[in-house]
Amino acid sequence: MAKKACIETFGCQMNVHDSERMAGLIEQAGYELTNDIGEADLVLINTCSVREKAEDKLFGRLGELGRGGRGRPLVAVTGCVAQQEGGRLLERSSHVDVVVGTQALRRLPLLVDRADATGESQVDVNPYDDVSFPLGIAVRSDPVKAYVTIIEGCNDFCAFCVVPYTRGHERMRPAGEILAEVGQAAAAGHREVHLLGQIVNHYQDPGDPQHDFAWLLRRVHEVPGVDRIRFASPHPRHVTPEMIAAMRDLPKVCRHLHLPLQSGSTRVLKNMRRRYSRETYLELVRQVREAIPNIALSTDIIVGFPGETDGDFEATMSLVESVGFHSMFSFKYSQRPNTLAAKRMPDTVPESEKTARLMALQARQKTIQERLHAGCVGESVEVLVDSRSRRQRDVEMFSGRTTQNTVVNFPGRPEWLGSMLKVRVERAGPYSLRGQVSGSA
Ligand code: 5AD
Ligand code: SF4
């Protein structure tokens, strides 16, 4: 009987995609994938260390695994905490057999095999530079969306961010490889391509510096079978006029732009080493909206960065109000190992103050989303049906996203998954719309 492997994933889309790659590698090594951790011979925990809370999840899971009554499974820790902690994980938990860093993913099967055969723990957190990955191995977990990595690592060193330490320095994938993977995913029926990179819009083909992110968008747009293109995450500083023009000209590029702001105070932005100001950010928003009037903007915000005053926080609140983001991810500042802020900037804002600011920000954002969504009632929107959601009474509910990335729920049928439909919006809440399908788009 084939051995079974279970993968648990924490963190960002990059991690979700690494898990898809790990699934393929481990399947090739003869394991069968399972979602039931109880029957797994091998448990892979793909970890995130972007905030302390994310990191804590790993230790919670390891503790639970230790309580398993039967012979315990082999445990491999991968991802950002693995890279950050390396061999120290073996000291912190006796349940870890394999530690694989973010750049050593392809060595996972070998290391698991060695640990299995010898009973000795295996660690590889070397900073491999090679970002190639064999085509057709990743087991894509979503029938509609396909993640395609275009850049790995980051050289930006924002003061709060652990990523340059966990994912290494920035390495670009050759455009030929990217386009081959997009083509393969589209041929397999994935209609929506998500290009991934820590600073996705910093892309430059290693073979030709003229071939930048705007160029890549245009090439991906030509791939047959691709209906929608999304990307994450861009950096405001690297949004070029060419990129805006490409988004404007290419109908398959979704009308959604995630522009992580982090803070609305120029003083805080400077301390964060973001290299844009409140004013230049607002000017960028103006330019993007002028070129693409129906674009939806979303953002990330950190509250309670070291030294953030009430006045700085008010600057974030007023910027959020004036831009009117369609959605937002907001976080309390969390000090991360190795970062500039951890070395030089004491974590001064008290936890209670961080919580109060986060709640105030989220309340403001909720009102903004309610207002934006209420404006959609009565309209007909186009959605790509991407998932089945919970049944409501006797009705089978499905869910999709508009080009602006708004979630729309509606009664539907399983065969609609993956199709583009028109939905008449009947109701709106702060986090989603609800409607009825009126035809195919
Ligand atoms: N503390 C809190 N939030 C953070 N983020 C990144 N690092 C930290 C940190 N140390 C947030 C940023 C980033 C998002 C992915 O996570 O807002 O854009
Ligand atoms: Fe993703 Fe950053 Fe978390 Fe690593 S630390 S999984 S790159 S969010």
Side-chain angles (χ1 to χ4, degrees):
M1 209 176 64
K3 288 189 177 181
K4 296 198 168 154
C6 179
I7 306 182
E8 261 194 81
T9 310
F10 300 108
C12 62
Q13 289 156 311
M14 194 70 90
N15 255 23
V16 171
H17 185 47
D18 279 349
S19 287
E20 294 178 338
R21 288 175 159 187
M22 279 161 39
L25 291 170
I26 219 72
E27 248 186 15
Q28 266 202 332
Y31 283 86
E32 210 174 88
L33 298 169
T34 174
N35 288 324
D36 178 1
I37 202 161
E39 63 168 19
D41 304 289
L42 169 66
V43 174
L44 301 160
I45 310 179
N46 193 5
T47 60
C48 171
S49 68
V50 76
R51 284 168 295 277
E52 198 174 357
K53 256 198 200 157
E55 192 175 325
D56 289 344
K57 286 185 187 156
L58 166 65
F59 297 100
R61 292 303 289 137
L62 288 175
E64 283 164 29
L65 282 173
R67 285 201 291 274
R70 306 181 308 115
R72 89 173 168 79
L74 208 65
V75 175
V77 178
T78 64
C80 290
V81 184
Q83 185 67 42
Q84 182 186 299
E85 297 297 315
R88 282 197 299 267
L89 280 176
L90 304 175
E91 292 153 29
R92 287 177 74 174
S93 164
S94 57
H95 308 307
V96 178
D97 303 289
V98 179
V99 179
V100 185
T102 53
Q103 295 135 74
L105 208 65
R106 282 181 307 174
R107 295 186 25 96
L108 174 73
L110 177 82
L111 297 167
V112 164
D113 203 40
R114 273 195 201 151
D116 204 14
T118 63
E120 279 169 29
S121 41
Q122 306 288 322
V123 178
D124 189 347
V125 290
N126 287 315
Y128 297 103
D129 264 353
D130 184 4
V131 290
S132 62
F133 195 81
L135 194 64
I137 300 277
V139 176
R140 300 196 184 276
S141 54
D142 191 297
V144 180
K145 288 176 239 174
Y147 294 122
V148 176
T149 303
I150 71 166
I151 307 179
E152 302 219 14
C154 178
N155 293 342
D156 246 45
F157 295 94
C158 294
F160 51 80
C161 188
V162 79
V163 168
Y165 307 94
T166 59
R167 293 226 165 234
H169 68 92
E170 189 176 64
R171 289 146 294 148
M172 315 281 182
R173 270 182 98 189
E177 250 187 59
I178 296 169
L179 293 169
E181 193 174 333
V182 170
Q184 193 245 2
H190 301 276
R191 298 184 68 176
E192 188 170 289
V193 168
H194 288 229
L195 304 175
L196 298 182
Q198 246 27 274
I199 300 186
V200 74
N201 54 335
H202 200 216
Y203 183 75
Q204 204 170 53
D205 183 358
D208 185 343
Q210 302 294 319
H211 293 168
D212 61 2
F213 184 65
W215 173 90
L216 186 68
L217 282 178
R218 292 183 188 273
R219 293 290 84 76
V220 172
H221 199 266
E222 291 165 356
V223 177
V226 173
D227 290 325
R228 277 185 170 182
I229 303 166
R230 298 190 190 273
F231 50 87
S233 264
H235 191 299
R237 192 163 71 89
H238 296 291
V239 178
T240 60
E242 292 75 22
M243 173 180 159
I244 299 175
M247 291 186 72
R248 179 199 60 206
D249 297 345
L250 303 171
K252 294 176 186 174
V253 176
C254 289
R255 269 36 197 156
H256 170 225
L257 184 61
H258 186 66
L259 279 181
L261 168 68
Q262 314 300 1
S263 168
S265 153
T266 297
R267 199 183 67 81
V268 173
L269 288 170
K270 211 170 164 102
N271 292 338
M272 287 177 163
R273 304 283 192 280
R274 290 291 288 176
R275 291 181 270 186
Y276 54 82
S277 65
R278 175 188 178 86
E279 290 69 32
T280 53
Y281 185 95
L282 284 168
E283 173 55 20
L284 176 62
V285 167
R286 195 196 60 74
Q287 285 171 16
V288 170
R289 283 184 164 155
E290 186 178 70
I292 314 163
N294 63 342
I295 197 139
L297 300 174
S298 60
T299 200
D300 290 346
I301 286 177
I302 297 175
V303 300
F305 185 76
E308 185 188 72
T309 62
D310 286 343
D312 292 321
F313 177 64
E314 273 316 310
T316 297
M317 291 286 267
S318 72
L319 196 152
V320 163
E321 185 66 49
S322 74
V323 172
F325 293 104
H326 272 68
S327 70
M328 172 191 293
F329 298 100
S330 48
F331 314 98
K332 291 191 251 188
Y333 171 69
S334 162
Q335 195 172 67
R336 303 315 294 136
N338 306 315
T339 58
L340 191 72
K343 285 185 200 139
R344 299 216 200 127
M345 305 172 197
D347 190 0
T348 49
V349 181
E351 185 61 24
S352 56
E353 185 56 37
K354 285 182 188 168
T355 305
R357 288 180 189 172
L358 189 70
M359 285 174 64
L361 177 63
Q362 290 179 345
R364 177 79 55 97
Q365 178 60 21
K366 188 175 172 206
T367 314
I368 293 168
Q369 287 178 203
E370 267 163 359
R371 194 167 66 217
L372 289 169
H373 287 172
C376 299
V377 174
E379 276 185 12
S380 176
V381 294
E382 232 175 74
V383 303
L384 178 57
V385 187
D386 59 23
S387 56
R388 191 189 283 237
S389 38
R390 245 181 306 143
R391 283 177 85 87
Q392 289 185 355
R393 286 177 215 98
D394 286 338
V395 187
E396 279 232 66
M397 293 299 290
F398 287 77
S399 166
R401 284 176 188 264
T402 66
T403 181
Q404 297 185 319
N405 211 32
T406 305
V407 175
V408 186
N409 299 305
F410 46 87
R413 298 201 209 115
E415 60 268 28
W416 290 352
L417 274 170
S419 46
M420 199 84 83
L421 298 176
K422 278 211 154 66
V423 177
R424 245 190 99 72
V425 179
E426 293 173 335
R427 273 193 278 146
Y431 306 108
S432 63
L433 305 175
R434 182 175 165 139
Q436 297 285 340
V437 171
S438 60
S440 56

